Amino acid sequence: MKFAKLSLAALMALGVSAFATDVKVDGDVKLYYGTNDADAWTGALLPHPNGVQDDGTTGGDLFGQHNSYANAAFRIGLTAKDMPAGLTGRLSLTYLDTFGLEDSIVDDTWAGNGVGASVWFDEANLKATLFDKTTVIAGRQYLDTPLVFSEKWNIAANSYDAAVVVDQHIEKTALVAGWIWRSNINGAATVQGNDRIVGALGGTPTQESAFDNYFDTFGKHGAYAVGAVTNLIPMTTAQAWYYNVDSVADAYWLQADVTPEIGEGMKLVIGGQFAGTQLSGGDEDATVWAAKIGGEFAGLKLSAAYSSVDEGDLGFANVGGAQSKLYTEAWWNYGYVSAPDTDAVNVTAEYSFADIADFGAYYTATDSNDQGRDLTEFALTVGKNFGAFDTMLAYVYTDAEDQNNDDSYNTLQVYLTYNF
């Protein structure tokens, strides 16, 4: 008897091919590397491996193993259309690994809880269209709302088990309601994961199995969100959101962005944000406001932004995550501009040279009002796409009171992505 060996893509496709006539495959392969010259370890915003902090005697070497971090990731997705009852199915698998780089080149990782291999389904959902202009997506999915969203700055993005309804019966308006059960979000590590393949292969497991459940951030009762996004006002996108995270807090987010044309090929950008948290348990509430002004012309984008978070017990970063949607968010050092009792400024300049490269310059500074977390960050990026192959180099200067013994340091990063 002969046995046929099937690829992972083929095995996944078999599960949906019987129910759909249109199946499309997509995915990407990534390799990310970063290094810095800090004396005290700050790799990828993560603690040093095993919780050990450098005493300054072995750190400080750019490209040195002790000050470097890397990951490789492979993601493959299937979208099945024309399923029974008009459903669309989506299934996506992510594989994260270090491929032994920690043995000679790096000491830490971009994502996950440590070195080794992890695998999980980042998407597994069904999409249905009801009443012509009402769409329901149920299952594991990526979300993008101001206070609950998938962070895609890292090599692997977190996703959510959720049910989301989007209604577009009102002209140029989307009404959104969602129940978010859980997520694998893990702060600066982006996603939960630690040698999950080991147990499935029969070795000494650090977790129960290769597909151990790390989707638990929002507890037993989850979170609820309702929102409205509209373009009814000419040249304006306005949005309003309300959240309830069970036994934690209620929160709201208001935002308006105006983009009037001021000449041929010229656009002005003006934005405002206001948000607040109402905490359970008697803790102090907080609010934040932010404003942005900028412009776009012939491939050049310029903007300046300011934000101010008042005193309180909860900031305005992504729930369970690291990044924020504030206009002033830093390019690399997340968690500063959105922290309580913090004022921040951001200046951004981006320019795209046709057929050459895309360049970016980003400056962020915060004043934490004597809270000991002031930050100055300056980042430069250059990126180039070669068909399906995306490349980017980044340089980041960081001077933060709570990093590297209050001494500035430099970071270099390489991003390589192949899309298929």
Side-chain angles (χ1 to χ4, degrees), residues 127-326:
K127 178 181 178 181
T129 300
L130 309 176
F131 312 117
D132 188 34
K133 294 184 178 181
T134 302
T135 301
V136 178
I137 303 178
R140 188 159 298 173
Q141 58 191 284
Y142 291 111
L143 297 180
D144 187 14
T145 78
L147 287 173
V148 178
F149 59 92
S150 299
E151 300 191 15
K152 298 185 177 181
W153 57 272
N154 207 333
I155 195 168
N158 64 291
S159 53
Y160 298 84
D161 290 342
V164 178
V165 181
V166 180
D167 183 87
Q168 295 179 293
H169 279 87
I170 301 177
E171 182 183 3
K172 298 181 180 180
T173 300
L175 302 179
V176 183
W179 172 57
I180 305 153
W181 181 17
R182 54 191 183 179
S183 175
N184 63 339
I185 195 167
N186 190 26
T190 308
V191 294
Q192 304 276 3
N194 186 12
D195 287 338
R196 281 184 283 169
I197 281 185
V198 177
L201 298 181
T204 301
T206 56
Q207 302 294 340
E208 292 182 1
S209 71
F211 297 98
D212 196 14
N213 191 0
Y214 280 104
F215 285 73
D216 59 2
T217 296
F218 293 93
K220 294 182 179 179
H221 302 291
Y224 300 88
V226 293
V229 182
T230 182
N231 298 113
L232 281 174
I233 304 174
M235 299 175 293
T236 300
T237 299
Q239 53 184 313
W241 296 87
Y242 175 80
Y243 302 84
N244 173 262
V245 183
D246 187 65
S247 301
V248 178
D250 293 329
Y252 60 90
W253 184 286
L254 307 173
Q255 180 173 332
D257 297 282
V258 185
T259 56
E261 299 284 345
I262 57 176
E264 185 176 354
M266 299 177 64
K267 182 185 298 183
L268 188 65
V269 178
I270 303 173
Q273 298 171 323
F274 184 79
T277 57
Q278 302 165 337
L279 301 184
S280 305
D283 293 329
E284 187 174 357
D285 301 340
T287 59
V288 60
W289 66 271
K292 178 178 73 172
I293 186 169
E296 300 178 9
F297 172 69
L300 176 65
K301 297 180 180 180
L302 295 172
S303 67
Y306 177 86
S307 66
S308 181
V309 185
D310 63 13
E311 294 184 25
D313 293 316
L314 184 66
F316 292 89
N318 190 20
V319 175
Q323 201 175 25
S324 81
K325 292 284 191 176
L326 292 174

